[in-house]
Amino acid sequence: MPKSRIRKKADYTPPASKQATNLKLDSRGWVAPVMLAMFLIGLAWIVVFYVTDGSLPIHALRNWNIVVGFGFIAAGFGVSTQWK
């Protein structure tokens, strides 16, 4: 049985200028620090509320301070959707 011819494929080299431009525009180095900061602020808010028996961080909010703390944590999860 005869052998089939081997086809040689051309090597692909992506254009350097286009690739370098995309990396600079899509820089998302701010996402991880902001996400972690939101998580830590929310956690600290809730911990301070429980440790001070509700007198801090904002006494007028009373138990709504828990919602504020979880709001910061939820915002951290919202920011995490931007992470690539």
Side-chain angles (χ1 to χ4, degrees):
M1 183 172 291
K3 277 185 156 181
S4 63
R5 273 196 242 168
I6 298 174
R7 291 184 239 162
K8 184 176 181 179
K9 293 183 182 179
D11 292 335
Y12 175 73
T13 54
S17 62
K18 201 175 207 183
Q19 191 176 29
T21 306
N22 287 341
L23 291 177
K24 290 179 183 178
L25 294 177
D26 292 337
S27 175
R28 302 230 175 161
W30 59 272
V31 174
V34 171
M35 176 184 66
L36 292 175
M38 297 295 252
F39 288 156
L40 292 175
I41 290 170
L43 179 65
W45 194 288
I46 294 170
V47 167
V48 167
F49 174 73
Y50 277 116
V51 168
T52 62
D53 291 328
S55 62
L56 288 176
I58 300 175
H59 182 66
L61 291 178
R62 294 182 296 223
N63 286 337
W64 284 96
N65 279 304
I66 298 170
V67 175
V68 172
F70 277 114
F72 276 110
I73 293 171
F77 279 114
V79 170
S80 72
T81 63
Q82 298 298 315
W83 197 0
K84 285 187 176 184

